[in-house]
Structure formats: C-alpha cells, structure tokens
Amino acid sequence: MRIDILTVLPELLESPFQHSIMQRAVQKGLLEIHFHNPRDYTTDKHNTVDDYQFGGGAGMVMKIEPIAACIEKLKAEREYDEIIYLTPDGERLNQPTANQLSLKENLMMLCGHYKGIDERIREHYITKDISIGDYVLSGGELAAAVLVDAIGRLLPGVLNDETSALFDSFQDNLLAPPVYTRPSEYNGWKVPEVLLSGHQAKIDEWRYEQALKRTEERRPDLLEE
Ligand code: ADE
C-alpha cells in the first residue's frame, strides 16, 4: 500500500512511522509513506499556505492553490482509491473503516491546519472525511498518524502473528479479553487458573466470556450494533 500525506508539518509525522510495527511495515516494503508539503507548491515569495477567511472571523484558512497543485501532481502520477481529509466533522473512525481502507492500494491523506481548508478542496477533491474522535486537535497530523497506524497493522504480513489482528478489540464488536504474562503469581495476585491449564478449548471459552463481560460493562453500545 502507498500512502501520500499532505502536511505543512511533516516533521510531526516522521517519528510515528520510525518505530515498532509501522517501521517493520515500511522496512518490509508492505507500506510506503510519502510526505508532501503544500508549502513547496506555493508560487509567492513568502510561500503562503494560509489566508484570512472571506466574511471575516478569527482563524486562518488553508489556501486552495498550493493544495490543489499538490493533489493534481499526485493524481497525474497514479490513481487514488480515496483522498481523505482528516477533520473533526468527518465520519468517526472505527475498526470497519480501518479494515476497508486496509484493502486499498493508494491512499492520499490531507492534514488540515488553522481554521480548516478552503471548502472547494473538499468539494472537488476529497472523497472521504475522517475524524478520529469528538474533540478538536490543532492539526490533522496526529489524526493521520492514528489512521495510518490503524490501517498499516492490518496489511497482510505486517503483524508477526498473522492471526493476532483478528483478536483485537472491536474486530467482533467485542473488546479484547484481559491478558497476563509471567510470573503466574506476584504479590499474591494470581493469574486466572484456566490460563495455566493448557486446555485450549476452555481457555478460548474463558476469553470469549471475558470479552463479552468487558464489553457489557464498558461499551454496551457495541453489543447493540
Ligand atoms: N483535525 C482536528 N481535529 C481532528 C479530529 N478530531 N479528527 C481528525 N482530524 C482532526
């Protein structure tokens, strides 16, 4: 999969993909991430990427020309399955959306800043608006990092244990069950006996029950979906 990220702050996005699972995805060639700075597509001497909004009001708006020029250049090079804008007014990100996007080949992501982007970019180029939650971040970069991580770890071959993404929270609309590791007793606090039993069917059953219990207690809304 190839992901092109348009951002005026590429530095903010370098580190998230240089560690752990995302780094492995990139090193294995399963995920390619390219950054593009709209500032490099400006034509004025001050490299202006934002401007006052028509009609007045606080907050700058990202200008249309540099973003449009950058998108046009990329679109001329390849077909994009989705051009995603990270925005608090987008569709809220969930596991089904991450699953669907992980099946695509080329994604473009646009990170907003300031008050937002000129609406005409959204009308004419954006195919999907995504929010990572009901709160406002100072830019779309951290949201893009979250989205790329959620997608990247689902790509075949990225996770070591091929099956492990299947047991994530949310994959069955269930939260994940509790997990334990050695020692089996610490400070008198014991690991549930069944997990030490070696009886796989019983362990699976226990995990399912725990997942159900946890979901009922913490996220009953998931069971209604
Ligand atoms: N940009 C600012 N806030 C955001 C959010 N909650 N989700 C996605 N992009 C954003």
Side-chain angles (χ1 to χ4, degrees), residues 45-223:
K45 70 173 181 202
H46 298 295
N47 303 116
T48 316
V49 290
D50 61 330
D51 208 339
Y52 297 102
Q53 53 177 314
F54 280 126
M60 305 293 273
V61 174
M62 287 177 78
K63 286 170 71 61
I64 191 166
E65 302 97 321
I67 296 173
C70 183
I71 293 178
E72 287 289 353
K73 177 182 173 274
L74 291 171
K75 278 179 61 157
E77 290 167 358
R78 70 194 59 75
E79 282 220 5
Y80 286 89
D81 298 295
E82 297 283 4
I83 302 183
I84 299 166
Y85 177 46
L86 283 313
T87 170
D89 66 21
E91 156 197 337
R92 209 178 319 148
L93 179 62
N94 55 20
Q95 195 62 46
T97 302
N99 292 348
Q100 282 161 19
L101 291 174
S102 75
L103 303 173
K104 308 292 186 189
E105 222 164 288
N106 295 313
L107 297 176
M108 202 190 297
M109 295 183 190
L110 171 60
C111 305
H113 249 266
Y114 318 109
K115 193 83 189 169
I117 57 171
D118 190 300
E119 188 67 17
R120 289 165 290 182
I121 290 284
R122 301 183 67 169
E123 279 168 23
H124 297 284
Y125 293 115
I126 300 299
T127 60
K128 204 172 184 59
D129 302 282
I130 292 185
S131 162
I132 63 159
D134 293 341
Y135 42 82
V136 179
L137 302 167
S138 42
E141 284 74 14
L142 297 180
V146 167
L147 180 57
V148 172
D149 189 298
I151 295 170
R153 59 192 296 287
L154 297 172
L155 300 176
V158 169
L159 294 183
N160 272 338
D161 177 354
E162 287 281 6
T163 60
S164 76
L166 296 175
F167 296 106
D168 286 342
S169 280
F170 301 112
Q171 280 297 10
D172 294 320
N173 266 5
L174 285 181
L175 300 181
V179 292
Y180 301 85
T181 186
R182 287 184 289 182
S184 60
E185 186 172 342
Y186 172 80
N187 222 5
W189 306 333
K190 289 186 182 152
V191 168
E193 204 67 50
V194 60
L195 295 179
L196 312 175
S197 69
H199 194 305
Q200 199 56 51
K202 282 201 176 134
I203 293 171
D204 291 345
E205 191 187 332
W206 179 86
R207 285 183 172 151
Y208 179 71
E209 282 166 5
Q210 292 293 315
L212 205 55
K213 178 165 170 271
R214 195 160 261 203
T215 311
E216 279 164 354
E217 283 167 4
R218 300 180 187 191
R219 291 293 306 277
D221 57 299
L222 290 175
L223 298 173

